[in-house]
Structures are given as C-alpha cells and as structure tokens.
Amino acid sequence: MQEERIHLMGMDPVGLSEFVIDQGEPEFRARQLFKGIHQRRLESFEDFTDISKSFRERLSVIACLRTLNLVQRFVSNDGTRRYLFSTANGNPVETVFIPTRKRDTICFSSQSGCALNCDFCLTAKLGFLQNLSPGEIVEQIIYVLNDVYGIAKEMPHGTNLVAMGAGEPFNNFENLLKAVSIMKREDGLFIVPGRITVSTVGIVPKIYEFAKLNGRPHLAISLSAPNDELRNRLMPINKRWNIDDLMNAAAAFQNSLKQGERLTFEYVLLAGINDMDRHAAELASLLKRYGLDRVKINLIPHNSAEPLEYSPPSAERVAAFKQTLETSGVSAYVRKARGHDIFAACGQLAAFDPGEALAEVV
Ligand code: SAH
C-alpha cells in the first residue's frame, strides 16, 4: 500500500541518514538519495544507479518518491498550467505554473482547501481539508519542474516560488518552513528563500515569528480593505486580528527587511466595494500612519466565478485607484490575471475540473 510507505521527499539529509542506517545501509546513501530526489529530480528508484540494485529494490517496497496523484493538468491559452493532484487520502491539491518572458513562477499550495472563508475567494468554498506535509509541498514543485523542463534537466536560473495557492501557509507554519529548508539546499533544488514569497491572510503572531527567522522568504500580506468595517465583511480573519494588529505586525516585519527588499500588500479590487479613490487614499494614509514606507501594493482585479458575488472594476477604475496610491507616494502594481480560462488565477483554485466550462472558453 502506497500510503504506508515512507515518503522520502519530505525528509532532510538528517532524516534520510536515520532512515538508511535503520535499513542497515551506510550513511552516505542518505546523500545519494537526497541528491537523486532533489537535485536530479529522479522519478523512480530504478534510476538511482549509484545505489546497489538490492537496496533499490528494497526501497521500492518500503518507500516512495511520490504520494500525490495527478488527476488532471490544464493548459491555458496564455501558457499557464494548472495541476490538480489528489493526496493519498483523496483531497485535492493544486499547483500553478506561470511563465513570463523574464522568468517562470510556480504557485504552490500549503493546504488542501482553506479555513479562512474570505468572501471573494473560490477556494473558501472547499472548506478546510488538510495540512500538506513537507513532502507534499516539495513534491508539487518537483512535479511541475519535471513537467515543464524535463527530468534531471536544469531549471532556468531565477524560477520563483510563491506560496499563494490554496490554503493559509502560516496555519501550516512548521511544514512550510521544513519544505523551504529542504528546497533551499545547494545539493537539492537550490531555490534560495530570496526567490520564494509567502502570502498570508494576516495570522499576526506568525508574522512576528517569521520576521525573526534567518534567511526567510519574502512576505506578502493580503489586505484588501483599508478599514475594519470593510475588512470584517470581506475577510473573517479580521475579527480575530484587526487592521491595527496587522499593521503593527507589518511595521515590525518592515524592520526585518534586507536592503532593497520590500513588504508586499495584496489588495483584491472588487467593483463598487473597495475600489473608490477614497479607499485608495485611506489605504495610503493607513500605511503612512504606521510608518510603512518600504512596501508595495499588488492590485489584483477580482477573478470572478460562480457563486462569488463580486466582479472586477473597469480598467479605468483600476488605473485611477493605482494613480491615487502613487500620487500619495505608494508604489502600486496591477497584477495581470493568468490562467483565468482554466481556473488557475488568484482565488480560483477550487479543485475545479472545468470539463464542460473549459470547452466553452476554448
Ligand atoms: N491564504 C493566503 C495565501 C493565498 S494567496 C492569503 O490569503 O494570502 C491568494 C491571493 O489571492 C490572496 O491575496 C487573495 O486575497 C487573492 N484572491 C482570493 N480570491 C481572489 C479572487 N477571486 N480574485 C483575485 N484575487 C483573489
């Protein structure tokens, strides 16, 4: 049974050493395994040709390299790919590959489903299903790299990772950090934390903890409203930690920024709800009040889908909102939706298999 096998992908070299020693093998096998899994991204124990045949055979009985099963892969007309996997216990996991001319980005999930219930997000409709293990997090990235660039092929320098798929990374903090520590290793994927961005809905105590970490990834905070009244309506988490709590945490985080690094705020633009110039002005003065001057705002026009009751503002409204921020000295960027036709864009990951819907779009 696959579920009972040991998933080697979530183990660091220390864990792998214990594992091989338990198996009566010399310790250097751990390094061979780690490199084979993460640097060469091998998909089958047969391909670990530097390991004895008898141990390879034993490994294929007691251990596994994959636990996620690919259910379906969707390719957008803009080149974006969405991968829908299923965990060993049948929960959906989604990962998105986003190519751009300059660099590629992989957007991975930290949980299956999501507990936060943001009113404008389709993932919320799944509810919370499970935390992903470190192995299930790393596996998403390795699967995509092999699909896009080929097994054992080098990935282009500068491929970025964003923890912006389904779930709340800071509610699966330990597993996320373990996955990051595995992925950054030079003898592995070698994706350094400076190329990783973690996005949080605003789990305030974790923002303070994250700020203190050495060699941490970048941080993005999903804000989406400039005052408590509006944010309470859109994002239930605001009732637990309000904007004052969040801005104090953001200010503490700002003190941990490296030279040239900025803290990102994401702001989903919802037509007629939070997209007026007065909201932009309120947002700018909020940031100012907390001394947040090393930040940038990513404006994300809402990606609509049934049954969400929101729509994106017009392009003119988006431009005016951005202009108001910039006039107040706040850097703002409009995020272009990618993979909208295959339900791969922000807030659209809901394990949706758009068999028929897709046929309508294409
Ligand atoms: N739970 C984390 C990680 C998910 S990141 C967080 O909330 O930050 C996903 C981003 O997409 C968040 O910034 C969220 O606000 C945004 N989002 C959610 N639904 C959306 C939608 N329908 N259209 C555009 N952006 C959306």
Side-chain angles (χ1 to χ4, degrees):
M1 291 294 285
Q2 178 158 321
E3 304 76 301
E4 288 159 17
R5 296 186 197 172
I6 299 165
H7 190 202
L8 300 184
M9 211 172 264
M11 295 169 100
D12 57 18
V14 176
L16 285 172
S17 294
E18 284 165 14
F19 168 72
V20 295
I21 288 166
D22 266 2
Q23 295 301 318
E25 291 285 324
E27 196 177 353
F28 67 84
R29 293 262 179 267
R31 285 195 298 280
Q32 293 173 316
L33 278 172
F34 191 85
K35 276 196 170 183
I37 296 169
H38 299 275
Q39 195 170 61
R40 300 167 71 198
R41 307 195 305 268
L42 300 176
E43 294 190 341
S44 158
F45 287 119
E46 277 171 35
D47 300 328
F48 288 68
T49 41
D50 50 352
I51 291 178
S52 68
K53 190 152 188 281
S54 61
F55 188 45
R56 277 187 268 155
E57 279 170 5
R58 171 124 189 89
L59 282 171
S60 56
V61 175
I62 59 167
C64 62
L65 293 167
R66 299 272 178 280
T67 55
L68 297 179
N69 281 312
L70 186 73
V71 177
Q72 211 164 340
R73 190 190 77 156
F74 307 93
V75 181
S76 164
N77 50 29
D78 70 14
T80 300
R81 302 182 191 190
R82 174 165 70 98
Y83 301 80
L84 171 59
F85 301 99
S86 168
T87 62
N89 40 3
N91 288 323
V93 174
E94 287 169 281
T95 317
V96 180
F97 172 75
I98 309 151
T100 64
R101 218 178 319 139
K102 265 201 272 172
R103 72 178 74 82
D104 297 333
T105 299
I106 298 172
C107 175
F108 65 94
S109 295
S110 53
Q111 299 180 319
S112 176
C114 187
L116 299 168
N117 214 15
C118 298
D119 207 34
F120 47 75
C121 181
L122 210 55
T123 309
K125 310 297 172 206
L126 290 175
F128 174 72
L129 298 167
Q130 71 168 82
N131 275 330
L132 300 183
S133 66
E136 287 166 332
I137 293 174
V138 178
E139 196 179 327
Q140 296 173 61
I141 285 95
I142 290 188
Y143 193 99
V144 173
L145 291 174
N146 283 351
D147 183 54
V148 175
Y149 308 127
I151 300 170
K153 298 275 165 42
E154 238 175 271
M155 70 180 103
H157 184 70
T159 299
N160 288 329
L161 297 187
V162 294
M164 296 187 184
E168 170 49 44
F170 278 4
N171 282 346
N172 191 18
F173 201 65
E174 294 302 317
N175 289 353
L176 175 85
L177 293 183
K178 175 95 190 272
V180 168
S181 77
I182 290 172
M183 293 191 292
K184 77 176 182 192
R185 291 187 61 94
E186 216 165 316
D187 54 350
L189 288 173
F190 200 17
I191 301 179
V192 293
R195 269 165 44 206
I196 306 177
T197 301
V198 176
S199 179
T200 180
V201 74
I203 307 296
V204 162
K206 294 294 183 224
I207 296 177
Y208 287 100
E209 243 183 88
F210 195 66
K212 288 196 204 118
L213 297 176
N214 275 328
R216 52 151 182 77
H218 302 297
L219 181 67
I221 297 176
S222 298
L223 185 60
S224 294
N227 60 61
D228 283 321
E229 196 204 337
L230 196 50
R231 200 164 187 266
N232 282 342
R233 261 170 60 198
L234 301 174
M235 303 174 71
I237 197 72
N238 199 65
K239 293 176 187 148
R240 178 98 179 262
W241 292 288
N242 65 18
I243 290 194
D244 178 52
D245 298 331
L246 187 54
M247 293 296 118
N248 281 319
F253 188 83
Q254 182 173 258
N255 291 330
S256 80
L257 293 176
K258 289 210 203 99
Q259 204 178 359
E261 187 186 7
R262 286 197 285 181
L263 165 62
T264 303
F265 285 101
E266 289 143 302
Y267 192 103
V268 182
L269 284 168
L270 309 164
I273 309 278
N274 66 355
D275 65 337
M276 321 290 179
D277 290 338
R278 64 179 164 84
H279 295 122
E282 199 179 352
L283 177 55
S285 71
L286 176 72
L287 298 176
K288 202 165 179 194
R289 206 157 63 243
Y290 288 86
L292 290 162
D293 51 7
R294 295 180 62 190
V295 305
K296 63 170 176 163
I297 313 261
N298 279 343
L299 299 170
I300 317 176
H302 186 249
N303 294 306
S304 315
E306 290 281 330
L308 302 176
E309 289 172 347
Y310 297 100
S311 55
S314 67
E316 294 73 39
R317 183 88 298 279
V318 173
F321 193 96
K322 172 173 150 66
Q323 185 60 50
T324 305
L325 284 173
E326 285 183 337
T327 308
S328 318
V330 179
S331 322
Y333 302 85
V334 179
R335 288 269 292 268
K336 200 169 150 238
R338 300 291 306 267
H340 199 290
D341 55 341
I342 55 162
F343 284 77
C346 296
Q348 290 197 306
L349 300 182
F352 185 54
D353 179 350
E356 287 166 39
L358 193 63
E360 280 169 31
V361 176
V362 174

